[in-house]
Amino acid sequence: AQKITQTQPGMFVQEKEAVTLDCTYDTSDPSYGLFWYKQPSSGEMIFLIYQGSYDQQNATEGRYSLNFQKARKSANRVISASQLGDSAMYFCAMRGTNTGNQFYFGTGTSLTVIP
Amino acid sequence: NAGVTQTPKFQVLKTGQSMTLQCAQDMNHNSMYWYRQDPGMGLRLIYYSASEGTTDKGEVPNGYNVSRLNKREFSLRLESAAPSQTSVYFCAILYYRGGSSVTDTQYFGPGTRLTVL
């Protein structure tokens, strides 16, 4: 069975400080992908970043990076210098080779950036 | 939103009424999905369709039916709405990124906020 766990329902961070959003997963699939999505208060779901289980390096996108620790089954998302526009819900998701087209989502973390 | 549209944006129903949520994509992707999002529960898969004419149940299919009559459109029908179906409904497509299939990601429509009284 596939499972995604996000243990931080809500987080606060000061503007310009770094923050880490936790995501752990459980799968028996030999190959899988991990995804992060952002949901601002307007409600849309926005794809942010992808990490493959066989990728040698952590994924990065500007201020955002993914701290992938395969042995610990974690894929934490790091924002290096928070901005007010980063305030949103963040969802971690996974898809495996044996899950077909299905994705599995965590329950999300609400991030609030304080000026 | 990678060309994924949903109608309507908002809907209020009375218990027992029926309605169809529409989803359309203009990017010629094969796989389409319907999710519901409830507070504290993330996104839960209702149904998905790997290709035109095929559909499969997800985690929470009870009370819903779907139809994928062509590649472009995937509709979700509530035959007899219940208050437990009050939720935000998202349609998504599977976007091919190249490489292994596990790299394919989902792009979402703007959502439909449904309230059942």
Side-chain angles (χ1 to χ4, degrees):
Chain A
Q2 322 291 329
K3 186 176 180 182
I4 292 279
T5 303
Q6 293 180 257
T7 58
Q8 308 152 311
M11 292 190 69
F12 293 86
V13 65
Q14 205 74 34
E15 191 178 8
K16 299 181 184 177
E17 290 189 350
V19 63
T20 298
L21 307 182
D22 293 341
C23 173
T24 58
Y25 59 91
D26 190 17
T27 182
S28 56
D29 284 0
S31 177
Y32 49 89
L34 296 154
F35 306 82
W36 278 92
Y37 293 85
K38 175 182 180 181
Q39 187 177 42
S41 58
S42 53
E44 70 268 31
M45 292 285 289
I46 303 167
F47 167 66
L48 291 175
I49 198 167
Y50 159 82
Q51 177 79 47
S53 59
Y54 284 105
D55 291 344
Q56 295 298 315
Q57 294 186 338
N58 288 337
T60 60
E61 292 276 353
R63 292 184 297 114
Y64 313 113
S65 62
L66 206 152
N67 183 7
F68 179 51
Q69 298 184 47
K70 192 172 182 178
R72 299 180 65 180
K73 294 189 174 180
S74 72
N76 300 335
R77 183 163 174 274
V78 181
I79 304 175
S80 60
S82 300
Q83 299 177 354
L84 296 178
D86 293 330
S87 293
M89 281 288 290
Y90 291 88
F91 292 95
C92 181
M94 178 179 68
R95 179 189 182 200
T97 50
N98 294 331
T99 63
N101 287 332
Q102 290 203 45
F103 285 68
Y104 295 85
F105 284 81
T107 53
T109 295
S110 175
L111 177 66
T112 301
V113 180
I114 304 166
Chain B
N1 290 336
V4 182
T5 58
Q6 290 184 238
T7 54
K9 284 188 169 53
F10 302 93
Q11 184 70 49
V12 179
L13 293 177
K14 294 180 180 178
T15 297
Q17 287 185 317
S18 62
M19 80 158 294
T20 299
L21 280 64
Q22 304 286 355
C23 175
Q25 52 130 341
D26 61 5
M27 305 257 318
N28 204 36
H29 296 285
N30 284 320
S31 296
M32 299 183 73
Y33 304 76
W34 275 106
Y35 290 92
R36 60 177 290 172
Q37 182 181 23
D38 302 295
M41 302 197 66
L43 273 74
R44 293 184 293 169
L45 182 65
I46 304 172
Y47 273 93
Y48 68 100
S49 170
S51 62
E52 176 183 343
T54 68
T55 60
D56 287 287
K57 294 179 180 179
E59 181 185 354
V60 288
N62 291 343
Y64 305 95
N65 286 304
V66 290
S67 177
R68 181 88 183 271
L69 296 179
N70 56 60
K71 195 170 188 178
R72 184 174 174 271
E73 298 169 305
F74 188 34
S75 60
L76 178 72
R77 182 161 178 83
L78 287 70
E79 292 291 351
S80 178
S84 60
Q85 294 178 304
T86 294
S87 188
V88 179
Y89 291 85
F90 286 99
C91 176
I93 57 98
L94 187 63
Y95 184 85
Y96 177 65
R97 289 159 46 94
S100 166
S101 64
V102 293
T103 72
D104 300 339
T105 189
Q106 291 182 315
Y107 283 94
F108 288 82
T112 294
R113 186 173 295 274
L114 175 67
T115 302
V116 183
L117 303 174

